[in-house]
Amino acid sequence: MSADQDYKYIGKGISRLDGPEKVTGSAMFVHDMTLPGMLYGKMVKSPHACARIVSIDISEAEKSPGVRAVLVGRELPYKVGIYMIDKDILAKEVARYHGEPVVAIAAQSELAAEEACAKVKIVWEALPAVLDPREGLSPAAPLVHPELASYSYMKGVFQPQPGTNISHHQKIRKGDVEIALAKADVVWEAKFYNPPVQHVAMETHTCIAQALPGSQVQIWTSAQSPFTVRNLFSACFGIPHQNIRVHVPYVGGGFGGKAGIHLEPLAYLLSQKAGGRPVKLTMTREEEFGAMPSRQGLYSQFTTGATREGKIISLVAKYIWDAGAYADYGVNVGRAASYSGAGPYEIPNCHIDSLVVYTNKVFGTAYRGFGHLEALWGIERNMDIGARRLGLDPVEFRRRNVLRPGAKTITGETVTEHTGRVDLCLEKVAEEIGWNGIQTEEERAQAMAGGKVRGKGVALLHKAPAMPVFTSSAALLKFNENGSVDLLTSIIDYGQGTYTALAQAAAEELKMPIERIQVPWESDTAMTPYDWQTVASRGAFMGCKAVIAAARDALQQIKETASQVLRAPVEELVCRDEVVFVAHRPEECLSYREVVMGYSYPNGNSIGGPVIGRGHYIAQGLTHLDLETGQGLPALDWTYGAHGAEIEVDLDTGEITVLNLATALDVGQVLNAQSLRGQIIGGVVQGLGSALLEEFRFSPQGRLLNAGFVDYKIPTSKDLPRKMSQHIILTEQLDGPYGARGVAEHPMISVPGAIGNALYDALGIDFFELPLNAERVWLGIQRKRSETQDTLPGAIKLPRAIHLDKGGA
Amino acid sequence: MFDETPQNTLPGAIKLPGAVYTISVEVNGKACTEEAPAQMTLLQFLRERLFLTGAKEGCGVGECGACTVLLNGRAVDACLVLAVEADQASVRTVEGEARDGELTLLQRAFIEHGAVQCGFCTSGMLLSAQSLLESNPHPNREEIVEAISGNLCRCTGYVQILEAIEAVGEGMEEGG
Ligand code: FES
Ligand code: FES
């Protein structure tokens, strides 16, 4: 515990406030909504990765029964985007990925819209596609966006390179890597790969939009960030903010995929064309995979130099992102991964180049962990490879390099006593898995005779929110006649448990029972106060700070009224158990209920008025990163952690069984024990999906081949580790609410690294590519068998560094 | 087949030639009679005709379990059942589980054990679990894992769901 504070609600395992609605099926998702007169939208999508639209014939579709609107890209003079305004609402001249929407139709029913879509005739001229971002960097590569120079983008933060496929190049420059590499006793190189994957929220993207007279717009959407939807919508159409009303009810999962803006502009345009009838657009699961954003792929490579004693003195890293056809969040993913791009280690000399590259694939966006799962897969495997080169135990090698108080990060931030303790996380997971060093080849050979082999591995992680410097939250606490409170926020709780944590903070601060606080499960830009976005593990942190401020404001209002009635100065009033009283004469008191709508004296005179507490919080002291060196202060808070894994590999099938997965995170302070555990387990299992199962597969022509659950598997109840444990370190975050820091994304990060390292321990084989599915592992085993047969017994040749070296990385 | 010879398969149920049937089904203990086109799934029938939106569509093709309901007591993917197949059947959806505002043991356990996050899988998950508990009141961990293995949840990582179901199984044991 960070302080011996006695909290009544903070830290307790209070169950979700919305539990009853969700277990009775009464929680209303956009998925469940219908409005009077509502039409249904469907889209015709590109069958090519890159193709020119020669002609579109919609004449038959327009005549199809029930059709009310047909839209093609050419009639839409708009572009949309969050950091880079690069996306057409429907493809115009060229479709840039397989699955890109080209024509949209609104009709009386989904079936009628689908039937009309089938009648659209499009003549295509296939064009050469960029399918590998490393090839996309070549000067000879076709340009995914020849008009890149003309796009607007967030200046001072991103650096698109017109005339190339690079939408952003983030540089980190600390010290002198060349000199340090020359001095290093050991230098090693390694390359890694993460495929694109999907969020797979169980509720697919869906929204309803209605264009009303006087350029008024109503939107109901399954989205993470109502105000960002509104802001980007306003920028896209030039409609003033106050005319656009965005409602977000219950949301069936997001994980980053519903951040920013997605279907809302198209639904609005269909509504407008259909004379203002509301239009609902819901993605089928296949469309969710193929047309909606993904997590972009990554090619990473590292050159690392260390002293004989095992201190890393130089790191050169290159990240090449397979960003897909539009920048969306991808540019910021590339940016965020670079300032975390050396791992939680102190490295005096570090150069990172993070290149976000347009390709002709479905575009990437934010996904839980935001570039970190991807980058840390390579970083943490690279640490184990380095330890081996140095003849060091991988845990010990990490001990010698982790960030400790006084260290400077690669962007020049100083780590303090209060930043968090990655070293303690490391020790905890090592202990939990019974870490006893890497096995020798003899030990492995012995184990292999049994057909199943075991191995252990650890991996560290860190992440800070990736968010603009001006990110802010607000909260309102609105008292009701009976003294209960409505907590209004535009943070969206799409499962994380944020609303329960906010209610706990409100109850704690207002000194009242949590049962008397309710958080309405609908955010509405016209009714709930501003919040930037619900992303980046910042919601509970910044939201609680805003709620704490709002509660203090409300109590001040209560005390001001009470001070007149009780004839005591405000400073001498105390609030407890829904009562305000004079500190030294507790019998002089008023219940909140007597005050919160205004106090009435016996003769009828009344004072005060409805109490509405108002609070806000803005991230403090953040700076833009220097465009040339990456130096600056990007982080609200760093959350550190570690995973330790023990696995068993079936040598005949290549299948991995996770026997034990221990996770330690320095969360600063627990806000809600139950939802913290839920976030950790849920995140770890999602991380296992990335580690073992998930990847997009494309045909050589760039068609997505596995847009469904038959071929794209996510973990089921049968895929859980035999044992999982969660461990919490509490190093108080000084500016965090009650000392807490963000933790929703972190459990997912570095799960692949821990499994990959355990896999080396088990097999003596380095794997560089994800996922570690049975096929890949089995092939690795076969390769090792064939290689060891033609070498001397006991001499294990490392497999070639990587099998991805066809491109220019 | 219904399109071509509806008269032979559902006598007297035809309203429009070859397309619409009248379906009588008992839903959560109440008799309902509604029309449904031949291709309408039970999931669509429940959601669009009866406005019971607790069952969700997560995939529409029998791969996620979000649409799970009990058809004559058996857990089925409502997206794979045609509405006409449910004619004369009894269906239970999540909306009918709580009685007079009183949550079932299982519903309460889901809340208390943190088995719910976004809630989109919850209706289906609850009904798969309920059907298990009704046929096997004291399931072991393996049986629970098996029973919900067709219900995808992207949020929770399943552990708290398994714990909630297990707790109900054990509770029943105590209650004897
Ligand atoms: S919606 Fe029925 S199984 Fe997915
Ligand atoms: S709680 Fe979100 S999918 Fe299960």
Side-chain angles (χ1 to χ4, degrees):
Chain A
M1 192 104 174
S2 52
D4 32 23
Q5 284 260 29
D6 228 353
Y7 294 120
K8 186 146 186 226
Y9 294 109
I10 294 303
K12 304 295 182 305
I14 292 171
S15 294
R16 296 186 66 88
L17 300 183
D18 59 350
E21 287 85 339
K22 287 179 174 171
V23 299
T24 53
S26 63
M28 183 70 75
F29 297 79
V30 176
H31 179 73
D32 304 324
M33 290 176 61
T34 33
L35 294 181
M38 192 173 88
L39 301 172
Y40 296 84
K42 284 280 167 195
M43 311 178 310
V44 180
K45 291 159 301 256
S46 169
H48 300 284
C50 185
R52 181 172 312 286
I53 300 168
V54 178
S55 66
I56 301 183
D57 178 359
I58 55 169
S59 53
E60 290 301 313
E62 281 177 318
K63 282 186 266 173
S64 194
V67 168
R68 293 292 174 272
V70 181
L71 277 179
V72 296
R74 284 202 192 111
E75 57 188 303
L76 310 177
Y78 312 106
K79 278 210 185 300
V80 65
I82 177 160
Y83 295 119
M84 175 87 60
I85 318 292
D86 62 356
K87 190 164 177 276
D88 296 320
I89 293 167
L90 292 170
K92 281 187 184 151
E93 312 293 320
V94 172
R96 295 186 176 88
Y97 67 92
H98 170 225
E100 178 163 14
V102 183
V103 176
I105 294 178
Q108 297 280 31
S109 69
E110 283 200 315
L111 194 62
E114 252 163 44
E115 281 169 357
C117 281
K119 294 176 186 161
V120 172
K121 295 187 202 82
I122 304 177
V123 178
W124 295 96
E125 177 199 340
L127 299 174
V130 180
L131 297 174
D132 181 322
R134 298 163 305 172
E135 287 165 12
L137 288 174
S138 141
L143 294 180
V144 179
H145 289 270
E147 332 70 354
L148 184 53
S150 69
Y151 295 164
S152 16
Y153 64 95
M154 191 186 263
K155 300 220 164 54
V157 180
F158 297 108
Q159 309 193 75
Q161 320 272 298
T164 75
N165 284 312
I166 300 171
S167 55
H168 178 50
H169 180 179
Q170 182 75 46
K171 300 174 198 169
I172 303 287
R173 300 286 182 263
K174 179 189 180 193
D176 191 323
V177 285
E178 296 304 325
I179 294 178
L181 278 179
K183 278 199 209 140
D185 297 313
V186 180
V187 174
W188 70 95
E189 294 189 9
K191 295 182 181 183
F192 302 90
Y193 174 64
N194 304 63
V197 303
Q198 238 249 350
H199 313 75
V200 196
M202 289 314 296
E203 184 190 30
T204 60
H205 284 75
T206 178
C207 76
I208 303 170
Q210 185 166 24
L212 294 162
S215 40
Q216 300 281 330
V217 186
Q218 291 272 6
I219 296 170
W220 292 262
T221 179
S222 180
Q224 294 178 210
S225 314
F227 279 91
T228 290
V229 169
R230 188 177 79 164
N231 196 35
L232 299 177
F233 194 95
S234 167
C236 178
F237 295 111
I239 299 173
H241 289 77
Q242 70 275 18
N243 289 17
I244 307 159
R245 187 160 170 191
V246 180
H247 309 255
V248 178
Y250 286 96
V251 174
F255 313 112
K258 294 174 183 169
I261 189 165
H262 294 292
L263 292 171
E264 298 85 357
L266 182 57
Y268 162 73
L269 290 166
L270 282 170
S271 168
Q272 197 181 43
K273 192 144 188 189
R277 287 175 63 176
V279 173
K280 184 170 190 177
L281 260 181
T282 301
M283 294 299 95
T284 63
R285 182 56 61 184
E286 186 182 353
E287 290 172 321
E288 183 74 6
F289 277 114
M292 292 289 99
S294 62
R295 182 175 80 199
Q296 52 199 10
L298 172 65
Y299 293 87
S300 57
Q301 63 182 68
F302 304 90
T303 305
T304 318
T307 64
R308 209 166 286 116
E309 296 72 38
K311 179 78 192 84
I312 299 173
I313 54 173
S314 187
L315 176 73
V316 181
K318 193 165 185 182
Y319 293 119
I320 298 174
W321 300 90
D322 187 354
Y326 299 102
D328 200 85
Y329 264 97
V331 287
N332 203 22
V333 169
R335 174 177 169 276
S338 71
Y339 63 71
S340 297
Y345 302 105
E346 182 174 29
I347 297 175
N349 303 284
C350 179
H351 276 199
I352 296 178
D353 288 280
S354 183
L355 297 161
V356 185
V357 184
Y358 284 124
T359 54
N360 290 111
K361 291 179 179 165
V362 58
F363 59 104
T365 193
Y367 180 18
R368 196 175 194 173
F370 208 78
H372 288 62
L373 180 139
E374 303 91 295
L376 278 139
W377 157 243
I379 293 167
E380 286 302 288
R381 288 289 296 117
N382 189 50
M383 288 301 288
D384 267 40
I385 292 169
R388 197 183 321 144
R389 298 291 289 270
L390 287 154
L392 277 176
D393 175 281
V395 171
E396 178 56 29
F397 182 42
R398 285 180 173 79
R399 268 185 207 125
R400 294 184 191 182
N401 289 284
V402 288
L403 288 169
R404 293 174 195 274
K408 273 213 184 325
T409 67
I410 57 172
T411 67
E413 191 183 337
T414 304
V415 174
T416 74
E417 295 288 342
H418 299 284
T419 310
R421 297 285 300 274
V422 68
D423 55 335
L424 297 184
C425 297
L426 170 65
E427 300 303 337
K428 187 69 208 169
V429 301
E431 177 194 323
E432 278 299 314
I433 59 166
W435 175 257
N436 45 9
I438 285 274
Q439 302 182 61
T440 63
E441 200 52 40
E442 288 67 40
E443 285 168 333
R444 274 183 209 120
Q446 232 167 29
M448 288 203 181
K452 290 198 173 168
V453 292
R454 292 185 172 196
K456 293 176 183 175
V458 300
L460 306 186
L461 66 99
H462 67 162
K463 186 184 178 293
M467 60 190 207
V469 288
F470 50 77
T471 297
S472 60
S473 279
L476 292 178
L477 295 169
K478 196 160 63 76
F479 275 85
N480 297 313
E481 297 90 323
N482 63 352
S484 66
V485 170
D486 284 347
L487 190 167
L488 303 187
T489 173
S490 295
I491 290 170
I492 303 301
D493 186 339
Y494 39 92
Q496 324 87 304
T498 318
Y499 286 4
T500 309
L502 297 184
Q504 287 172 266
E508 195 74 53
E509 298 298 322
L510 291 170
K511 320 282 182 209
M512 58 191 284
I514 193 164
E515 296 73 30
R516 306 255 291 149
I517 302 203
Q518 84 156 354
V519 189
W521 234 273
E522 169 166 326
S523 293
D524 170 348
T525 51
M527 311 289 276
T528 49
Y530 177 81
D531 198 282
W532 169 67
Q533 293 219 64
T534 312
V535 293
S537 306
R538 60 163 284 276
F541 186 117
M542 297 185 71
C544 278
K545 295 285 276 190
V547 165
I548 292 168
R552 293 191 179 147
D553 183 39
L555 291 184
Q556 180 68 18
Q557 294 171 39
I558 289 172
K559 285 178 183 173
E560 274 165 16
T561 303
S563 134
Q564 298 178 54
V565 182
L566 301 175
R567 299 192 191 97
V570 164
E571 308 76 64
E572 292 187 10
L573 296 180
V574 177
C575 291
R576 191 185 303 148
D577 298 331
E578 301 183 85
V579 170
V580 53
F581 58 90
V582 182
H584 48 281
R585 273 183 292 122
E587 66 282 7
E588 294 289 317
C589 64
L590 289 167
S591 71
Y592 287 2
R593 194 164 43 78
E594 291 173 275
V595 183
V596 292
M597 291 291 144
Y599 179 82
S600 286
Y601 288 95
N603 75 351
N605 289 173
S606 298
I607 58 167
V611 171
I612 301 174
R614 182 197 63 125
H616 59 72
Y617 186 75
I618 191 160
Q620 281 151 31
L622 302 191
T623 67
H624 292 305
L625 297 181
D626 183 277
L627 290 178
E628 287 310 310
T629 66
Q631 299 299 298
L633 183 61
L636 175 70
D637 59 329
W638 287 99
T639 305
Y640 296 106
H643 299 288
E646 184 179 11
I647 64 168
E648 183 172 81
V649 188
D650 184 324
L651 294 172
D652 291 332
T653 63
E655 203 177 328
I656 293 174
T657 305
V658 181
L659 304 174
N660 188 5
L661 215 156
T663 303
L665 292 156
D666 190 340
V667 302
Q669 163 70 289
V670 178
L671 293 174
N672 181 313
Q674 189 178 78
S675 45
L676 174 59
R677 179 163 176 258
Q679 285 302 295
I680 297 177
I681 295 172
V684 165
V685 172
Q686 227 172 78
L688 282 171
S690 287
L692 301 174
L693 301 171
E694 298 178 41
E695 68 180 319
F696 272 174
R697 294 177 187 236
F698 294 94
S699 76
Q701 293 75 35
R703 293 192 190 157
L704 181 58
L705 298 175
N706 57 341
F709 286 133
V710 176
D711 301 309
Y712 186 108
K713 297 284 184 209
I714 65 169
T716 71
S717 58
K718 288 184 168 174
D719 299 309
L720 303 182
R722 297 246 179 95
K723 178 177 172 211
M724 269 192 270
S725 59
Q726 302 82 40
H727 310 277
I728 296 306
I729 313 287
L730 300 172
T731 308
E732 185 186 10
Q733 172 82 20
L734 287 185
D735 55 350
Y738 311 101
R741 47 178 79 85
V743 71
E745 303 167 287
H746 305 74
M748 178 163 185
I749 303 167
S750 282
V751 171
I755 305 281
N757 289 338
L759 197 52
Y760 179 84
D761 186 41
L763 297 172
I765 303 172
D766 276 310
F767 288 88
F768 301 92
E769 303 173 31
L770 289 177
L772 300 167
N773 55 27
E775 180 186 347
R776 173 165 285 130
V777 173
W778 186 83
L779 286 170
I781 295 168
Q782 302 317 306
R783 200 166 53 237
K784 174 166 171 172
R785 281 185 172 152
S786 67
E787 280 173 10
T788 45
Q789 269 158 20
D790 35 73
T791 53
L792 293 171
I796 295 305
K797 220 167 49 178
L798 279 177
R800 276 163 300 129
I802 198 161
H803 328 289
L804 303 164
D805 29 30
K806 63 185 159 127
Chain B
M1 80 182 193
F2 297 124
D3 275 352
E4 278 146 35
T5 53
Q7 294 88 339
N8 299 335
T9 52
L10 278 179
I14 298 95
K15 285 279 154 79
L16 292 175
V20 176
Y21 300 87
T22 301
I23 315 279
S24 292
V25 51
E26 186 196 286
V27 179
N28 300 329
K30 281 201 204 93
C32 309
T33 301
E34 288 288 334
E35 292 188 345
Q39 74 277 15
M40 181 176 253
T41 64
L42 176 58
L43 180 62
Q44 290 165 329
F45 182 78
L46 292 169
R47 291 175 55 85
E48 295 165 20
R49 290 287 186 271
L50 305 181
F51 303 100
L52 294 170
T53 54
K56 309 295 183 205
E57 181 179 315
C59 69
V61 294
E63 290 288 330
C64 76
C67 61
T68 306
V69 298
L70 302 186
L71 180 66
N72 294 330
R74 211 165 47 88
V76 296
D77 290 331
C79 70
L80 290 186
V81 177
L82 288 173
V84 291
E85 294 177 82
D87 190 42
Q88 308 303 329
S90 98
V91 174
R92 274 165 67 191
T93 73
V94 73
E95 287 91 342
E97 291 299 284
R99 293 286 149 79
D100 307 322
E102 193 60 25
L103 299 183
T104 63
L105 281 180
L106 188 63
Q107 287 172 318
R108 284 217 304 273
F110 263 55
I111 298 173
E112 281 157 18
H113 287 263
V116 178
Q117 287 189 24
C118 81
F120 204 77
C121 70
T122 306
S123 311
M125 205 60 95
L126 277 165
L127 289 168
S128 288
Q130 189 65 38
S131 127
L132 167 72
L133 289 167
E134 285 172 15
S135 63
N136 175 3
H138 315 295
N140 61 30
R141 184 55 84 104
E142 245 166 81
E143 291 164 332
I144 300 173
V145 164
E146 184 64 41
I148 64 158
S149 63
N151 292 78
L152 296 179
C153 174
R154 191 56 151 174
C155 300
T156 63
Y158 305 101
V159 172
Q160 285 149 305
I161 296 174
L162 300 173
E163 289 169 353
I165 302 168
E166 210 160 43
V168 174
E170 283 162 9
M172 280 180 174
E173 200 160 26
E174 278 161 33

